[in-house]
Each structure stands twice: as structure tokens, then as C-alpha cells.
Amino acid sequence: MGNRILRIDNVRKTVNYLKKNGLAGTFYAAAERVQEEKRADYSYRVPDAETLSKQRQETADYPYFFSIVVPAYETKEAYLREMIASVQAQSFARWELVIVDASADDAVERTVRRIIHETGDLRIRYSRLSENKGIAENTNVGIDLAGGDYIALLDHDDFITPDALYEMAVSIHRGRQEGCPPILLYSDEDKYDEGSKAFVFPNKKKNFNLDLILSNNYICHFMAVEAGLMKRLKLRADYDGAQDYDLTLRVVDSLWEEDALAPRAERICHIPKVLYHWRSHRDSTALNTGSKTYAYEAGRRALADFCAGRGFRVQVEHSLHLGFYRIVYEPDLLGARRDVGMMGGRILDGRGRLFAGGYDEAGRCLYEGLPAHFTGGSTHLAVLRQDCAAVDIRCMRLREELQPLFSEITGLPYREKCFLVKEGREKQEIRLADVSGLTCDEEGYRKLSMALGEAVRKEGYLVVWDPGITVRM
């Protein structure tokens, strides 16, 4: 799976990381990257003709119409043709492709019009822009032109799988039948390495997770938004480079009903399947994360704007990894946000490996066994604040109105005491629940943690795991 271009890029990333994070940090990052690549066993298979035919028959009567908006700029003909061909290959046929072209010359226009003439496909709509106003304003022209029920965004040098719109149409249909039509849909994605002509690095994403999206734009590609909302929000030129992240945050904000503790997460639909191929070439952010460093600052500002709009008193900082952020709450997470009922950190064993902390709904520890200095791979999930089913009762705090739940579940009064913990890079004192009166084995602690997490979530609150808080057992 390795290839020369990706190896050169890894060397470039390592040099940049060394400058920013020092020798120790670089050593651990490189070691984790090697392990990640050794574990990688991925190949993308195009759905066969029979499968695509069945998809066409299944959705033939679905009324949903998609507009795919593509802002083009000096696009290479080969990339442009492959992008258009991927849309034309869709098993779900109710779509239009809206290409808005800000190129200085007419090369893109000639290619598009040639394709329309060759195929007779009038679902392809082309608009030449009089000037290049930047990615956000150029895309907004396409959004204005779009006539679909949902508007999807596609980069001019990427391409989608032939079942991409089928999967979205099925998800929309299911949501409407259940009385909860999605307002935003997104899928998993992979990268297409231009050098080796291979699909690599699948990004298998989590379902919507508020605190995770407040750490990184993990939703990214392939994303579609209900047309009415998209046309109302549009993209904001002030956040060029992170315009998709800014859009996603504002969609999330729109789902926060008045007086509700949290946004209506059920209106955001994750399709756990690769539907988008992000092309890796020398100028793309998929390969060269330093090619658009301004985008990461735009992302930080978009996140700060979201927090300000929600009334969160915060400072938004860049993390050690480009495109990933750390929100510093004032005075703390529970005090700054009324939607969070319980928060907790990670617990390391004597070997410095994670063995307790955040738990999923099945009671499994998130990233169990991971060495303390590892981040969880290229997505860095193991060091990002995120919502979960429960946090370990030995490293957590409850907001005041929920503290009686602790007594109900443990039989002990809720008290807090100061612990010296590692928070971020610094050691400092933090108040956590005092569980010294409990005598449990590991299974007992986990059962109590899961029961408390379930009780908190039943009250409508989020449970937040913060791996920036670390204690050792």
C-alpha cells in the first residue's frame, strides 16, 4: 500500500512535526504512524452492475432530487472528466450537477460543454463566473442555481462512488418514514493516491458527536444539506478555507431548539460507508496539509464564532495537530455549558496505557490499551474531547443538579476532592468525585460508571470524555 509519493509526504510531515513538537513528540507520532500503516488492510470495490441495477429499481419512485454543486477553478481536464463521470455513474438518477467556473481561461468550459455534447446529459449545468470571488462566494452562486431538495458539495478534483446518492436517498426515505427527515447527511471517505492509482486511508467516522465536531471537522466529505437550510445559511467568505466546517457548525446551531439542552442529533445522518474519494496529489490538502495553512486559522475562528453564538465563554486554541482544536472553557466545562451533565478523563495503568475512561454504549473502553503518548492515528481521536455513553466513576465530575444520581447508584454521598492530574501539557489540581468509599473490582467500577452515565443521559444531558485530563492508577 505504501508508495513513493505518500512516503515523501510522510517525510515532509515528520520534518514539520519535529519543528513544532520536538523530538519526543515526533518519535511517538512516527511510531504510531508506522503501526497504523502496518495495520492498514483496505481496498475499495466498485459496486457491480447487478447491485447498481437493483439500486435503480429500488429507488425508481423516490421523489428526492439532489443538486451537486462544484466550484471549479483551473481544473485539470483528467480530474474534471473523472469527477463528472462519477456523478453520471450514479445508480440514483434524480440529480443535477451544477458547475460554477471561476477559471481565468476557458479550458474548463470547453471540457464541460464537450462532455454535455458527447453524452447529451442535460443534468449537467455550467455557469461561467465573471470573476473569482473565492471558494465561498463562488460556491454560493451554485447554491443559488441549485433546484434540488438536498444540496451536496463536491470538490472539483475529487469524485464520488456510484452508490453515493442512492445511499443518501435511502437514508432520507427512511428518516421521512420515521417522521424525522435528516437535515444533514454525511458519509465515510477514503483517499485516492494519484501516484499509485490506489484507494487508501479509509476514514470511518463516528455518528454525530457534538464535542467531537467542536474539536475537528470530522464530518467533511460527502456532505449534503437540506436545500432550504443551505440556501438560507450559504457559505461565508470570511471563513474561506474552512467554509465547510463553518457551514456544518451553523447547521448544528440551527438544530438547537429554544430551551433545549442539546441540538437534535437525530436530524444529522451518518452513512457508515465510503461514498467519497478524496484525491491526493501534490497541491491537495489530502496530501499536503501545509498547502492551506490559512484554512486552519479560519477553522479556529469559525469554532470561536459558534461558541460565542451559543454563549459559551471560551478560548479556542490550535492543538498540536493541524486542523484540530482545543476549547478552553471559562471557568470549566460544566460551568460554561448547561448541556453537559458529566465529564471525565482517561485513566492509565502502571505501564502508561489507557485502561479506563470513556465508554461506548456496550461498555467498551474507548481506545483501550493505547499508550499514553499515542493519539489514535491520523484522525487523533484518542486525544479529542468527545461525547460518550459514560465516563469512569473514578475520574469524573457531575453538575450540581445531577449529584443525587451518584448517591442513588452508589449508596454514597457525592463529594469532591482535589486531584493532581495532567490536563493538556500541564499538571494542575482539579476537583473530581471522591470514590474512596467504594470497594469494587474493575468490572464493578465499570458497571457503576455505565449506570451513572445512563442515568445522566436519561435526564437529557451529554456525557463528555476529555482525554486532556489524565490520572494514573
Side-chain angles (χ1 to χ4, degrees):
M1 189 171 112
N3 58 81
R4 182 172 178 272
I5 289 182
L6 284 176
R7 285 172 184 159
I8 291 172
D9 181 60
N10 285 343
V11 171
R12 184 186 300 116
K13 287 179 179 177
T14 300
V15 171
N16 291 336
Y17 200 92
L18 179 61
K19 293 178 180 177
K20 185 177 182 182
N21 301 302
L23 186 60
T26 303
F27 170 80
Y28 291 118
E32 186 169 19
R33 186 72 173 185
V34 168
Q35 289 190 16
E36 184 178 32
E37 292 185 358
K38 283 182 178 179
R39 291 193 304 268
D41 182 18
Y42 172 72
S43 62
Y44 171 77
R45 293 186 179 180
V46 179
D48 59 37
E50 182 180 356
T51 298
L52 295 175
S53 177
K54 289 180 179 178
Q55 291 176 357
R56 291 187 189 95
Q57 294 173 15
E58 177 188 349
T59 58
D61 296 330
Y62 284 13
Y64 322 120
F65 185 63
F66 292 93
S67 295
I68 301 177
V69 174
V70 178
Y73 180 77
E74 312 290 355
T75 315
K76 290 184 178 180
E77 182 175 348
Y79 297 171
L80 186 65
R81 283 186 172 275
E82 192 163 8
M83 179 273 293
I84 293 174
S86 75
V87 178
Q88 290 179 307
Q90 293 301 300
S91 60
F92 185 79
R94 291 180 55 78
W95 56 262
E96 64 175 0
L97 177 61
V98 182
I99 300 173
V100 286
D101 179 19
S103 303
D105 59 33
D106 65 349
V108 169
E109 180 175 9
R110 285 188 283 107
T111 299
V112 174
R113 297 203 183 280
R114 192 178 303 124
I115 292 172
I116 295 173
H117 177 73
E118 292 168 354
T119 64
D121 197 339
L122 299 181
R123 294 174 298 178
I124 303 172
R125 300 173 60 190
Y126 173 86
S127 178
R128 182 74 178 272
L129 304 181
S130 59
E131 60 178 314
N132 180 11
K133 292 186 176 181
I135 184 67
E137 291 298 341
N138 293 350
T139 306
N140 284 340
V141 174
I143 292 172
D144 284 335
L145 293 172
D149 301 304
Y150 285 81
I151 299 174
L153 302 177
L154 173 59
D155 288 351
H156 66 157
D157 52 357
D158 297 338
F159 51 109
I160 55 177
T161 67
D163 56 346
L165 295 184
Y166 161 81
E167 293 289 350
M168 288 198 162
V170 168
S171 296
I172 293 168
H173 191 68
R174 184 186 306 116
R176 291 194 173 185
Q177 286 183 320
E178 295 172 354
C180 187
I183 206 164
L184 182 151
L185 304 98
Y186 67 99
S187 75
D188 295 346
E189 62 190 81
D190 63 18
K191 291 183 174 66
Y192 178 71
D193 176 50
E194 190 64 28
S196 64
K197 306 298 181 185
F199 297 102
V200 297
F201 300 129
N203 184 358
K204 298 178 180 180
K205 304 171 186 175
K206 290 181 177 286
N207 290 339
F208 176 70
N209 189 301
L210 177 60
D211 281 271
L212 189 57
I213 200 65
L214 298 183
S215 302
N216 166 253
N217 182 21
Y218 75 95
I219 286 179
C220 205
H221 310 120
F222 183 42
M223 182 176 75
V225 178
E226 188 275 325
L229 181 61
M230 178 76 95
K231 286 178 178 286
R232 177 166 64 83
L233 295 179
K234 293 188 177 177
L235 304 183
R236 298 196 291 185
D238 287 345
Y239 301 94
D240 266 359
Q243 68 284 340
D244 292 355
Y245 190 22
D246 175 58
L247 172 65
T248 299
L249 292 171
R250 288 184 292 130
V251 170
V252 172
D253 185 67
S254 75
L255 294 175
W256 223 304
E257 296 177 351
E258 188 175 355
D259 295 329
L261 283 175
R264 294 190 60 191
E266 69 274 13
R267 300 294 302 278
I268 298 179
C269 176
H270 169 222
I271 301 169
K273 187 174 182 180
V274 169
L275 303 181
Y276 192 99
H277 301 306
W278 191 3
R279 190 187 301 273
S280 297
H281 55 85
R282 189 167 299 279
D283 297 324
S284 71
T285 52
L287 184 63
N288 178 14
T289 55
S291 63
K292 292 184 178 179
T293 53
Y294 72 92
Y296 305 119
E297 175 57 21
R300 190 197 66 78
R301 290 190 289 104
L303 188 50
D305 181 73
F306 171 89
C307 291
R310 295 307 319 165
F312 302 161
R313 292 174 292 162
V314 305
Q315 290 181 345
V316 180
E317 301 175 349
H318 294 283
S319 78
L320 297 178
H321 313 285
L322 288 173
F324 297 82
Y325 307 95
R326 173 85 179 169
I327 297 177
V328 180
Y329 289 92
E330 303 170 10
D332 61 21
L333 181 60
L334 294 180
R337 284 174 50 185
R338 58 188 290 265
D339 59 319
V340 179
M342 179 166 62
M343 55 82 66
R346 63 178 186 167
I347 304 177
L348 306 179
D349 63 17
R351 296 186 303 156
R353 294 178 180 269
L354 198 156
F355 82 95
Y359 301 108
D360 65 17
E361 293 186 353
R364 294 182 294 257
C365 176
L366 304 178
Y367 321 109
E368 187 167 7
L370 195 72
H373 296 291
F374 281 21
T375 70
S378 55
T379 57
H380 305 299
L381 285 173
V383 294
L384 299 181
R385 190 183 278 135
Q386 55 201 270
D387 308 326
C388 59
V391 290
D392 197 279
I393 201 166
R394 292 167 290 180
C395 182
M396 68 88 193
R397 283 182 61 205
L398 280 168
R399 69 184 309 113
E400 184 175 358
E401 55 265 42
L402 297 178
Q403 291 172 7
L405 295 175
F406 180 89
S407 300
E408 293 174 14
I409 290 170
T410 67
L412 299 175
Y414 181 86
R415 289 192 292 261
E416 294 178 354
K417 68 177 183 179
C418 288
F419 290 79
L420 184 64
V421 304
K422 186 175 181 183
E423 186 167 13
R425 291 182 169 183
E426 306 294 332
K427 284 189 175 181
Q428 53 186 276
E429 283 194 345
I430 187 171
R431 296 192 66 81
L432 297 172
D434 181 0
V435 295
S436 57
L438 293 176
T439 54
C440 301
D441 57 13
E442 282 303 317
E443 184 179 356
Y445 282 123
R446 192 164 297 199
K447 284 182 178 179
L448 288 174
S449 301
M450 293 302 298
L452 186 56
E454 182 180 10
V456 169
R457 289 185 290 115
K458 278 186 176 179
E459 294 294 323
Y461 292 88
L462 295 176
V463 177
V464 178
W465 180 61
D466 185 352
I469 298 173
T470 303
V471 299
R472 291 179 179 268
M473 291 292 181

